[in-house]
Structure formats: C-alpha cells, structure tokens
C-alpha cells in the first residue's frame, strides 16, 4: 500500500503524541507507575498482577513502539490504525470505568476526567486509519 498524504496529519499527530508520552514515562518513579496502573486496572483488571514498575516500563515501551509505528511511513495505515484503535479503546474504557472521571450520565467528563476524555480523539484517529479504504484496485 502506497503512502497517502491524506493520512499524514493523523499519523503525525497521534504518533508524535504517543512517542512523546512514552519517552516521558521511561523514568517513572514507583509511585507514579502505581497510580497509572491503578487507573489501568479499571479497564483491564489483569494489569494489577504486574509489579508497578514493570507495568510502567511496559507502558512506556508500548507507547514508544506504537508512536514510532505511526510515524513510520512504510508501515500500512490499516495496521497502525488497528494498533492505535486497540490501545485507545483501552484508554477510553479506563476513562469510562474510573470513578470520578465522568458526570452522572457516565459519559461527559468531570474536571478530573478531561485529561482522560481526550483519548477519544486517539480512538477516532485509529478508526479513521483502520477504516480508510484508500485507493481500491479494480479487478
């Protein structure tokens, strides 16, 4: 699949954001890693089985890998879109299931939830990359 210029803004914005986020987590202290892990277990309870520092390292590595993949033009957009969609689905689930993040309606963010609610944009970008049909070849 050829690189399409129309996907550049989606891949550049999400890739740079995730790469920067992952690099920022490389030196997480144990307390910060434990806080992130606590939020993550609201979406995926099995993450609680990891040591907090181990969780922090895996999270940083995952964000760096996904961010780098999004920035690599030779990787298919559907493939990186799938990765971003899966990752962002976890983030949105974490937002929706974490106490105090949403208003009584369960969707709109509280002031504390705004930082997590923005992950819906990553989910939208992932879905756009995944669902973009690109140039169809005629059989």
């Amino acid at each position: 699949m050829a690189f399409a210029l129309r996907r550049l803004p989606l891949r550049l914005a999400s890739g740079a954001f995730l790469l920067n986020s992952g690099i920022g987590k490389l030196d997480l202290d144990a307390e910060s890693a434990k806080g992130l892990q606590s939020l993550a277990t609201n979406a995926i309870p099995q993450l609680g089985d990891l040591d907090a520092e181990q969780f922090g390292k895996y999270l940083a590595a995952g964000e760096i890998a996904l961010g780098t993949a999004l920035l690599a033009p030779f990787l298919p957009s559907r493939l990186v879109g799938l990765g971003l969609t899966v990752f962002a689905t976890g983030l949105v689930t974490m937002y929706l299931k974490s106490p105090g993040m949403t208003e009584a309606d369960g969707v709109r963010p509280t002031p504390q939830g705004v930082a997590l609610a923005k992950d819906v944009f990553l989910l939208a970008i992932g879905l756009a990359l995944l669902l973009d049909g690109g140039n169809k070849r005629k059989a």
Side-chain angles (χ1 to χ4, degrees):
M1 179 182 288
F3 179 78
L5 193 57
R6 70 179 177 273
R7 296 186 200 108
L8 181 64
L10 300 174
R11 291 183 68 158
L12 186 60
S14 58
F17 180 84
L18 286 170
L19 182 59
N20 181 63
S21 180
I23 290 171
K25 289 180 177 80
L26 284 174
D27 295 320
L28 270 182
D29 60 81
E31 185 177 327
S32 298
K34 188 171 180 145
L36 289 173
Q37 183 182 27
S38 175
L39 281 173
T41 58
N42 290 320
I44 305 170
Q46 296 83 355
L47 292 175
D49 295 339
L50 295 172
D51 173 74
E53 289 183 35
Q54 185 181 32
F55 169 80
K57 289 185 188 322
Y58 288 155
L59 179 60
E63 288 184 350
I64 290 169
L66 183 55
T68 301
L70 284 157
L71 293 172
F74 55 87
L75 292 176
S77 288
R78 284 190 175 167
L79 178 64
V80 296
L82 176 62
L84 182 56
T85 298
V86 169
F87 183 72
T89 297
L91 294 174
V92 171
T93 302
M94 180 179 68
Y95 158 70
L96 292 171
K97 290 188 171 189
S98 293
M101 297 296 146
T102 62
E103 297 288 349
D105 62 13
V107 178
R108 291 178 303 124
T110 62
Q112 299 86 351
V114 170
L116 294 177
K118 57 90 180 114
D119 292 326
V120 73
F121 293 110
L122 289 176
L123 179 57
I125 292 169
L127 288 170
L129 291 170
L130 182 62
L131 299 175
D132 182 14
N135 297 327
K136 300 280 185 191
R137 290 187 217 170
K138 292 184 181 181

